[in-house]
Amino acid sequence: MIFDREGNTTLVYQENISLKQFLENLNRSYQKIKNDNIIINLFSFSELNSGDILEFSNLSNMHRASKKSFVLVTDKVSYDQVPDEICLVPSLQEAHDIIEMEEIERDLDL
């Protein structure tokens, strides 16, 4: 598992591993990054579907409840194929933009 930290945001990605193993590694490593906004880069997975994205629901809900952003990045699944509580975007730039907007909303108590 690869962590790339920039300010209060951590980008998480992994190459050459199954989604199941990636999730297990992410759950084990979560304590290291729990205080950061998290971007999960899923571009290394050649095939993903909405069911795969739903596997991140528990972690996403728990992290967002602690007033931190949790954004999944892939262009293999459309955001309208997953529930609204999962933040899914097609590019890393959009993930950073979402985090910036959510930070502003938290600062303004919106």
Side-chain angles (χ1 to χ4, degrees), residues 29-41:
S29 302
Y30 180 72
Q31 291 300 316
K32 297 176 190 175
I33 60 174
K34 71 178 184 176
N35 296 319
D36 293 343
N37 295 307
I38 299 174
I39 298 173
I40 306 292
N41 182 340

Side-chain angles (χ1 to χ4, degrees), residues 14-18 21 44-45:
Q14 181 80 45
E15 295 184 22
N16 301 322
I17 195 168
S18 71
Q21 187 63 49
S44 63
F45 296 99

Side-chain angles (χ1 to χ4, degrees), residues 10 12 22-23 26-27 30 33 36-40 53 55-65 67-73 85-88 95 98-99 102 106:
T10 298
V12 181
F22 178 78
L23 280 163
L26 180 59
N27 283 315
Y30 180 72
I33 60 174
D36 293 343
N37 295 307
I38 299 174
I39 298 173
I40 306 292
I53 299 302
E55 295 290 327
F56 291 91
S57 292
N58 290 339
L59 190 56
S60 174
N61 292 338
M62 178 178 64
H63 195 70
R64 293 172 75 79
K67 305 284 189 220
K68 295 292 180 182
S69 299
F70 188 91
V71 185
L72 300 172
V73 183
E85 67 263 9
I86 296 179
C87 185
L88 178 71
I98 291 284
I99 288 174
E102 288 180 350
R106 285 190 286 267

Side-chain angles (χ1 to χ4, degrees), residues 98-110:
I98 291 284
I99 288 174
E100 187 175 329
M101 288 187 316
E102 288 180 350
E103 285 284 317
I104 291 168
E105 289 174 356
R106 285 190 286 267
D107 287 346
L108 297 173
D109 289 326
L110 297 177

